[in-house]
Amino acid sequence: MKRYGNIIEQIIEPKNLSDAFDYVLRGARGNTRTGRWMTEHRDEVLAKIRKDIEDGTFGPHGYVEFTLLEGGKNRQIQSVCKSDRIALNAIMSVVERYCNPSFIADTASSIKGRGCWYLSERMLTDMKRDPEGTRYVYKCDVRKYYDSIDQDKAMFVLRRKFKDARLLAILERCVRMMSHGISIGLRSSQVIGNLYLDYYLDHKLKDEMGVRYYRRYCDDIVIQAGSYDELTRLARVVHEQMREAGLEIKKNEQMWDVRKRPIDFLGYLHFADFHRRIRKRTKQRFVRCWNRVRSHRRKVELIGSFYGLTKHADAVHLFKTTTGMTIKDFAQFGFHYEREDGKKIYDCPLVQLPDLNKEQIVILDFEEGVHTRYGERTLVKFKHPEKGEGKFITASDEMLAALKFVREQDGFPFRTTIVRQDLGQGKTKYMFN
């Protein structure tokens, strides 16, 4: 397995630290007395964080613990100071770049671009494609997952991924902040929790055993198969792997036929006829909260959250019934933007000319006199045979003259190869060939 080093240098880049500062102190958090002081002394705060990370001496400076009631469960949450949160965000934003690509496609939670909706869609797609192979369901979750993670094993998993000694020293202080388990409140715990089960369970089932319909959202696990016998065998493997990881499956694990009962997972009920509904208790909890709340700001937050749930479920009239409101999608307004100067912009990725050197492309269109921060330039739209449509910007009078000449000959679209020519003294030019 490839191990990554030289991570600290990427973490302490000024832009990464600045982005972490802005993220932590966004909105109301930046309007507190501490937030205002840190904003006024931004350079000093970032310099101190940078030095601690660069030296490999950073670690959480204590924490405040509080109880949070979530989903009927009391959870002990640890909260660190804003300075520590900025540092952890800067560290983990880089660490995640190396961890996320290795996670299997059927896991979500705290992974950019992968939320409940992502995993729910994958589940329904598989159920539609293979109804018989997904007929039977095994569902379980881990008892007190974050509290039960073995700290030594967590460090073993991290050392298999990284070889940067300073980074590992920082991560170890985060892992061992608690007397046992890992903290629920630290940003680092989200990635460590995913890596832990990724090593002990995900790749065992997916890569070694080739289980097609295995899904995990944090410590909630759902496996689908074509028979109870296959599910029983896989459940045995799950228990074996959990014992190896030092974890315990809750006693409420279940197996059933999806045709007799829907799959309650990711906040939705997934039915055998491929439709999706919102949990009854979720609806009840929203209605109670909606009727109780008087703050306009809080009501706006509730509307956004509940509308997101109803939009992705088969609940066409539920939102209007419960709130008395109708929300339209932006696409329904049929808005189409046109620049005041009438110039074409082209809705495709911008590509740098050096990346097109010696590449054969098809020129589709161009627009001259487009204003950029460097002055007036020519914008060219093209199509690459493998990468699809794109656009590039050029200041070359020779290219512009060639494009005008072809247009006069009614020659669009046309095929060409972009060629770079060295002019000496470090100067180059690009032209059509």
Side-chain angles (χ1 to χ4, degrees), residues 258-421:
V258 73
R259 297 180 184 179
K260 297 179 181 179
R261 197 181 82 192
I263 304 172
D264 187 351
F265 187 48
L266 305 165
Y268 295 103
L269 299 175
H270 302 81
F271 289 81
D273 59 357
F274 321 129
H275 74 278
R276 176 172 39 211
R277 291 182 182 171
I278 298 175
R279 288 173 176 164
K280 183 177 180 180
R281 65 175 177 269
T282 302
K283 293 183 281 188
Q284 291 174 334
R285 189 165 62 245
F286 171 77
V287 171
R288 293 191 192 107
C289 194
W290 178 259
N291 292 333
R292 183 177 66 248
V293 168
R294 294 291 175 264
S295 165
H296 175 73
R297 182 180 63 82
R298 180 61 181 143
K299 277 188 176 288
V300 170
E301 292 174 354
L302 287 172
I303 288 170
S305 174
F306 192 62
Y307 179 69
L309 282 173
T310 57
K311 180 181 178 180
H312 295 306
D314 296 298
V316 179
H317 303 295
L318 178 61
F319 182 81
K320 185 175 181 180
T321 302
T322 52
T323 65
M325 301 174 62
T326 301
I327 294 182
K328 292 183 178 181
D329 287 335
F330 178 74
Q332 293 178 256
F333 293 98
F335 173 78
H336 177 69
Y337 173 69
E338 292 185 4
R339 288 169 56 104
E340 293 182 2
D341 59 8
K343 299 292 184 183
K344 300 172 187 174
I345 296 301
Y346 307 130
D347 187 15
C348 52
L350 180 65
V351 180
Q352 301 299 319
L353 268 174
D355 296 333
L356 295 174
N357 185 36
K358 297 182 181 179
E359 294 279 347
Q360 189 178 74
I361 58 176
V362 175
I363 303 296
L364 302 175
D365 196 7
F366 76 97
E367 183 70 57
E368 61 178 302
V370 175
H371 180 71
T372 71
R373 58 179 175 172
Y374 303 109
E376 302 291 329
R377 296 290 187 267
T378 301
L379 185 65
V380 183
K381 183 181 181 182
F382 68 91
K383 185 173 183 179
H384 190 280
E386 296 177 0
K387 301 175 184 177
E389 292 188 353
K391 59 187 176 184
F392 66 83
I393 296 173
T394 177
S396 170
D397 293 333
E398 182 178 341
M399 274 191 165
L400 177 58
L403 291 167
K404 288 181 176 180
F405 177 79
V406 173
R407 183 167 60 187
E408 290 172 0
Q409 306 299 317
D410 197 21
F412 279 88
F414 66 93
R415 188 181 296 106
T416 184
T417 301
I418 301 293
V419 178
R420 180 176 63 199
Q421 183 178 2

Side-chain angles (χ1 to χ4, degrees), residues 228-241:
Y228 278 125
D229 289 341
E230 185 178 356
L231 277 184
T232 302
R233 179 177 65 87
L234 294 175
R236 194 178 300 119
V237 174
V238 171
H239 277 267
E240 290 171 358
Q241 292 302 115

Side-chain angles (χ1 to χ4, degrees), residues 97-333:
R97 295 179 207 162
Y98 294 93
C99 295
N100 291 356
S102 67
F103 294 141
I104 64 171
D106 285 308
T107 185
S109 176
S110 304
I111 302 174
K112 189 174 182 179
R114 301 194 202 176
C116 294
W117 168 245
Y118 163 86
L119 206 53
S120 176
E121 272 296 285
R122 289 184 66 89
M123 173 180 283
L124 282 185
T125 299
D126 287 338
M127 290 171 69
K128 291 175 184 177
R129 185 172 52 238
D130 187 8
E132 289 303 318
T134 58
R135 177 175 176 178
Y136 300 98
V137 183
Y138 169 64
K139 185 174 185 289
C140 67
D141 63 334
V142 180
R143 181 179 178 275
K144 296 186 178 296
Y145 177 50
Y146 283 99
D147 291 338
S148 302
I149 289 178
D150 186 301
Q151 295 178 352
D152 292 332
K153 292 180 178 179
M155 287 310 304
F156 166 75
V157 172
L158 286 168
R159 290 189 184 102
R160 291 184 78 255
K161 195 77 177 176
F162 301 103
K163 58 184 177 182
D164 189 315
R166 289 175 294 172
L167 175 65
L168 287 170
I170 290 171
L171 293 177
E172 184 159 15
R173 293 187 193 98
C174 296
V175 168
R176 300 190 188 280
M177 187 179 83
M178 311 291 293
S179 58
H180 63 276
I182 61 175
S183 166
I184 295 179
L186 291 188
R187 166 81 183 270
S188 57
S189 299
Q190 300 169 358
V191 177
I192 295 168
N194 266 327
L195 275 175
Y196 199 77
L197 286 182
D198 180 72
Y199 173 73
Y200 283 105
L201 187 63
D202 295 358
H203 288 286
K204 172 71 175 178
L205 292 175
K206 278 289 189 179
D207 297 343
E208 296 182 28
M209 301 183 62
V211 179
R212 293 187 65 185
Y213 305 121
Y214 160 79
R215 295 173 188 86
R216 178 176 65 81
Y217 188 86
C218 191
D219 63 320
D220 290 336
I221 298 161
V222 167
I223 303 176
Q224 291 173 269
S227 68
Y228 278 125
D229 289 341
E230 185 178 356
L231 277 184
T232 302
R233 179 177 65 87
L234 294 175
R236 194 178 300 119
V237 174
V238 171
H239 277 267
E240 290 171 358
Q241 292 302 115
M242 288 302 181
R243 279 195 294 272
E244 185 180 342
L247 303 172
E248 180 186 348
I249 296 292
K250 286 184 182 177
K251 302 300 182 184
N252 62 355
E253 59 182 329
Q254 302 173 63
M255 288 186 194
W256 73 92
D257 186 337
V258 73
R259 297 180 184 179
K260 297 179 181 179
R261 197 181 82 192
I263 304 172
D264 187 351
F265 187 48
L266 305 165
Y268 295 103
L269 299 175
H270 302 81
F271 289 81
D273 59 357
F274 321 129
H275 74 278
R276 176 172 39 211
R277 291 182 182 171
I278 298 175
R279 288 173 176 164
K280 183 177 180 180
R281 65 175 177 269
T282 302
K283 293 183 281 188
Q284 291 174 334
R285 189 165 62 245
F286 171 77
V287 171
R288 293 191 192 107
C289 194
W290 178 259
N291 292 333
R292 183 177 66 248
V293 168
R294 294 291 175 264
S295 165
H296 175 73
R297 182 180 63 82
R298 180 61 181 143
K299 277 188 176 288
V300 170
E301 292 174 354
L302 287 172
I303 288 170
S305 174
F306 192 62
Y307 179 69
L309 282 173
T310 57
K311 180 181 178 180
H312 295 306
D314 296 298
V316 179
H317 303 295
L318 178 61
F319 182 81
K320 185 175 181 180
T321 302
T322 52
T323 65
M325 301 174 62
T326 301
I327 294 182
K328 292 183 178 181
D329 287 335
F330 178 74
Q332 293 178 256
F333 293 98

